[in-house]
Amino acid sequence: MYDAVRMDNASRLPTFDNAYQRRSAPWVIGEPQPAVLELERAGLITGRVLDIGCGAGEHTIHLTRLGYDVLGVDFAPTALEVARENATTQGVPARFETADALSLIGLSGFDTVIDSALFHVFATEEQQRYARTLHGVCAPGARVHVLALSDRTPGFGPRISDAAIRAAFTEPLWALDQLEPDIYRADGSPEDRAQLGLPAEGLVDMTAWLATARRLDNSE
Ligand SMILES: C[S@@+](CC[C@H](N)C(=O)[O-])C[C@H]1O[C@@H](n2cnc3c(N)ncnc32)[C@H](O)[C@@H]1O
């Protein structure tokens, strides 16, 4: 599955959608990522929020429940079906829309973007395009939080270096305010677990990067 995300954006869509159709995706853990919970507690989520590549909607639902103005977007129709089901089950009026993160047509004015495990699926040139696209939909001074799997330790998934984040979120469009090691919680397949010597059951904490980029306005 994860090797298959190293493909062009159009081919990637059915790969992701199939994972949701099979209800089998290592990133669907039924709860928000600890790093996102911590960002919220630290007051780093403000104003209009975009949860980009929202998947099963855990972060959109959590933040909507807390009273934030959040929109969850994903390009996979089945992801949005699952997200809407989850929101209904939990009685949360969360909003979801279809959007391609590399174009984001018709969206604007976001103050915070939560990217949990999206940036790392893109190839290098897509990462640059993505950062430019986000600049176009963000308000002045907006913050983008990127939680991406790290290549510092063995793991599963498309793991990246901190250099990839630094190269995409750079001047004149972005100032990188923070980039620190963190964790991304996942539910590995039996094959991934066996390969990495992980326990056969339970969620696993993968090494990740947590970056915060701030939109600069001297480039318009
Ligand atoms: C690894 S999953 C992470 C989902 C969720 N954010 C989480 O942390 O559980 C990546 C998500 O990004 C979505 N995605 C991938 N490429 C996308 C694109 N170009 N535009 C919008 N969504 C995309 C996938 O459908 C998938 O739901």
Side-chain angles (χ1 to χ4, degrees):
M1 160 73 201
Y2 259 140
D3 285 344
V5 297
R6 296 284 179 206
M7 50 179 62
D8 68 69
N9 197 45
S11 314
R12 205 179 282 130
L13 195 162
T15 305
F16 274 108
D17 205 66
N18 288 340
Y20 290 105
Q21 286 175 26
R22 293 194 311 270
R23 299 293 194 267
S24 154
W27 58 87
V28 177
I29 60 169
E31 60 191 45
Q33 288 293 326
V36 176
L37 295 178
E38 189 46 43
L39 286 169
E40 193 281 322
R41 284 192 211 106
L44 291 170
I45 298 177
T46 56
R48 293 186 60 214
V49 182
L50 180 66
D51 177 14
I52 193 155
C54 64
E58 289 95 341
H59 302 121
T60 304
I61 294 169
H62 173 71
L63 294 171
T64 303
R65 185 188 281 120
L66 293 179
Y68 289 86
D69 175 2
V70 196
L71 177 65
V73 300
D74 203 288
F75 73 168
T78 312
L80 296 176
E81 265 176 50
V82 173
R84 289 187 178 112
E85 276 168 29
N86 287 341
T88 302
T89 304
Q90 296 179 47
V92 177
R95 292 186 303 127
F96 297 100
E97 280 180 21
T98 306
D100 183 341
L102 297 180
S103 49
L104 295 176
I105 291 159
L107 297 177
S108 63
F110 293 97
D111 302 292
T112 305
V113 177
I114 308 283
D115 170 335
S116 171
L118 173 60
F119 179 84
H120 66 209
V121 312
F122 293 134
T124 304
E125 62 279 9
E126 291 174 317
Q127 290 170 348
Q128 320 281 327
R129 178 175 162 195
Y130 174 63
R132 286 195 303 274
T133 303
L134 284 183
H135 189 269
V137 302
C138 280
R143 280 184 287 230
V144 175
H145 302 296
V146 176
L147 181 63
L149 292 175
S150 160
D151 65 358
R152 285 279 174 90
T153 58
F156 48 87
R159 294 167 297 114
I160 61 167
S161 72
D162 57 332
I165 300 173
R166 290 183 201 284
F169 290 95
T170 189
E171 293 186 5
L173 300 185
W174 298 99
L176 201 56
D177 284 347
Q178 180 193 300
L179 201 171
E180 300 287 343
D182 211 297
I183 59 120
Y184 183 84
R185 192 158 285 170
D187 183 7
S189 68
E191 300 76 40
D192 289 333
R193 287 167 184 275
Q195 199 176 351
L196 293 166
L198 295 167
E201 288 182 5
L203 299 177
V204 290
D205 288 348
M206 317 258 299
T207 309
W209 301 112
L210 178 63
T212 298
R214 181 170 33 85
R215 185 189 190 277
L216 297 174
D217 300 313
N218 53 357
S219 51
E220 310 194 19

